[in-house]
Amino acid sequence: MIPYFIPDMPKTEALIPYLKEIDNNLWYSNFGPLYHQLIQKIADNCLDNIATNKLTLVSSGTSAIELALRSLNLPAGAKVLTTSFTFPATVEAIINAGLTPVLSDINKNNWFLTPEIALRNTKLHNIAAVVPVAAFGMPVCSESWANFYKKTNLPVVIDAAAALMNQSINENLIYAFSLHATKPLGAGEGGLVVCPNKSQASFIRKMSNFGFEAGRTINNVGTNAKMSEYHCAVGLAQLDRIKEIKQKNSFILNKYKSLFEQHHLKVQTQAGLESFVPASLYVLFEHHTDELFERLLEQGIESRRLYWPLIQGFPAFSDNTIPASLNFKNANRVSSQGLALPFHNHLTEQDIENTVSILSTVLNKKAQQL
Ligand SMILES: *Cc1c(COP(=O)(O)O)cnc(C)c1O
């Protein structure tokens, strides 16, 4: 069986030096030495040397989005525009922050909620903030969202959960990243918020620790969303091998791309794939998606529908979200025609050749039947 995803995480031996540091420090959570080491290394290696006082590590990507939204101090129930084509955590964070998700359709090429779509909806729905999603780890255009912010004055929190190292930062926007094992920089569990300024970052840090202020008083209801020293240890060990991980990953993407060309495979890939390596290789087939899924499975190859169903298709979100599209034309097409192909660093070249050759055989047979 070839699974559609297997994380590429550090082995025990690579963790040991960092675990020994924890033994020596006798410090296990609450912003310890490894927390500060990890934040410094992420700033230097993944975020173009951004000032570390704009960063906060938290316990997950979901809590990163939720706390970023809480730091905006919006009125209870205020409407937040986001996309129907995302991982459910985006919408759960909005609801758990006491806000109301308004769901938009997506752009047909990059599969994002874009500033153009947002501009059409902000006035119509009395929107108070926007949460665009960097779908499948492909970066959103920070520059055009910064222009949107300047034009509308609406805060923008980018769910860039799977886009660390792809997503560029603009100092007017807030970014939430995930450090889950399945994301580009895995720590097991973890999250990262990038803020426009240090006071917002420090508010989020306090909120992640029950809301405690320096004098042990509490002014705002917080939560426990801290990243432990043990998780930071894994993140640090992972950063030591990040170059190698990224090299392997882009080798695998290029192998797929050249085989798609070789087989003249008729697939639509996500805009931006020329320049960036995505977290998931999600491709659209104009026809026969269900059949392709079955034929791959018969040959022991697992593929997946992702961001499926659309958010409004989950019972939990049927009566607490507001649709901002009549028919979600693009989102419906992308979510029903797409499959995430096996895409991870444990694949062999042979695995990829088998996968593409099965797709090609099925599609050619179908074409001849027409
Ligand atoms: C993974 C992911 C999340 C959730 O991150 P966690 O760290 O698992 O909480 C949110 N949004 C998107 C788009 C994701 O891919």
Side-chain angles (χ1 to χ4, degrees):
M1 180 71 171
I2 304 174
Y4 100 100
F5 193 77
I6 303 173
D8 183 0
M9 292 291 285
K11 296 273 184 253
T12 308
E13 299 76 59
L15 300 179
I16 287 173
Y18 294 105
L19 296 178
K20 284 188 172 159
E21 277 190 54
I22 298 177
D23 289 345
N24 291 331
N25 295 333
L26 301 172
W27 197 335
Y28 305 97
S29 188
N30 296 52
F31 321 111
L34 273 70
Y35 174 101
H36 290 290
Q37 260 188 66
L38 181 57
I39 242 178
Q40 185 69 58
K41 284 200 177 160
I42 289 177
D44 295 347
N45 296 295
C46 310
L47 295 170
D48 283 335
N49 300 300
I50 194 172
T52 53
N53 61 17
K54 292 182 177 178
L55 308 182
T56 306
L57 290 170
V58 291
S59 54
S60 70
T62 310
S63 54
I65 304 166
E66 182 181 334
L67 291 176
L69 288 168
R70 284 187 186 278
S71 75
L72 303 175
N73 273 311
L74 301 173
K79 291 178 183 173
V80 175
L81 185 69
T82 190
T83 156
S84 57
F85 186 65
T86 184
F87 188 66
T90 315
V91 172
E92 292 179 327
I94 295 170
I95 294 170
N96 289 333
L99 304 166
T100 307
V102 177
L103 305 174
S104 80
D105 199 5
I106 51 174
N107 174 282
K108 67 180 174 31
N109 298 318
N110 59 22
W111 312 336
F112 298 155
L113 158 60
T114 57
E116 294 72 34
I117 298 173
L119 278 173
R120 292 205 292 271
N121 285 292
T122 46
K123 289 222 172 68
L124 200 64
H125 291 280
N126 191 22
I127 296 299
V130 184
V131 179
V133 175
F136 307 128
M138 295 295 274
V140 304
C141 179
S142 280
E143 209 184 356
S144 56
W145 279 110
N147 288 334
F148 171 90
Y149 170 70
K150 280 181 192 147
K151 214 181 279 181
T152 62
N153 221 19
L154 293 176
V156 178
V157 175
I158 293 168
D159 174 355
L164 189 62
M165 295 173 283
N166 276 349
Q167 182 62 59
S168 70
I169 303 295
N170 179 287
E171 60 182 13
N172 294 292
L173 312 172
I174 309 171
Y175 299 82
F177 295 99
S178 166
L179 305 180
H180 188 260
T182 54
K183 309 286 162 141
L185 176 66
E189 292 275 9
L192 168 71
V193 191
V194 180
C195 289
N197 55 63
K198 78 172 192 198
S199 67
Q200 199 168 6
S202 119
F203 179 86
I204 289 171
R205 198 168 311 131
K206 283 185 257 180
M207 293 293 278
S208 76
N209 188 32
F210 312 102
F212 277 123
E213 304 283 339
R216 297 296 286 175
T217 188
I218 293 177
N219 297 327
N220 296 285
V221 180
T223 185
N224 182 4
K226 297 188 298 291
M227 190 168 173
S228 80
E229 291 287 282
Y230 290 103
H231 289 92
C232 291
V234 181
L236 285 162
Q238 187 74 331
L239 264 178
D240 291 338
R241 53 197 290 278
I242 200 73
K243 260 204 188 128
E244 177 199 326
I245 294 172
K246 288 177 70 170
Q247 265 168 12
K248 251 195 218 164
N249 218 217
S250 71
F251 175 82
I252 285 169
L253 178 64
N254 288 331
K255 181 80 193 172
Y256 264 112
K257 281 191 197 168
S258 67
L259 285 168
F260 286 169
E261 257 176 49
Q262 235 172 285
H263 286 265
H264 307 288
L265 208 65
K266 274 202 177 156
V267 291
Q268 184 194 332
T269 51
Q270 194 172 8
L273 215 64
E274 330 70 64
S275 325
F276 297 97
V277 180
S280 309
L281 184 58
Y282 188 84
V283 302
L284 306 192
F285 301 92
E286 210 170 317
H287 306 285
H288 317 300
T289 303
D290 292 351
E291 168 119 15
L292 290 165
F293 174 89
E294 295 297 339
R295 294 290 92 79
L296 286 172
L297 202 57
E298 278 170 15
Q299 305 295 321
I301 300 170
E302 186 191 29
S303 59
R304 274 271 179 103
R305 287 242 151 97
L306 294 181
Y307 302 165
W308 183 88
L310 297 180
I311 290 301
Q312 60 271 28
F314 288 95
F317 309 128
S318 59
D319 59 4
N320 50 12
T321 58
I322 298 170
S325 169
L326 210 51
N327 53 12
F328 294 94
K329 184 171 154 237
N330 295 330
N332 270 316
R333 185 179 68 90
V334 173
S335 84
S336 64
Q337 294 186 348
L339 284 181
L341 301 178
F343 186 64
H344 55 79
N345 283 354
H346 298 270
L347 292 174
T348 64
E349 290 188 62
Q350 190 63 55
D351 292 337
I352 303 171
E353 278 162 22
N354 292 346
T355 303
V356 178
S357 126
I358 291 166
L359 295 173
S360 160
T361 308
V362 174
L363 290 175
N364 284 335
K365 223 182 253 167
K366 287 282 172 191
Q368 280 164 15
Q369 282 169 10
L370 287 179

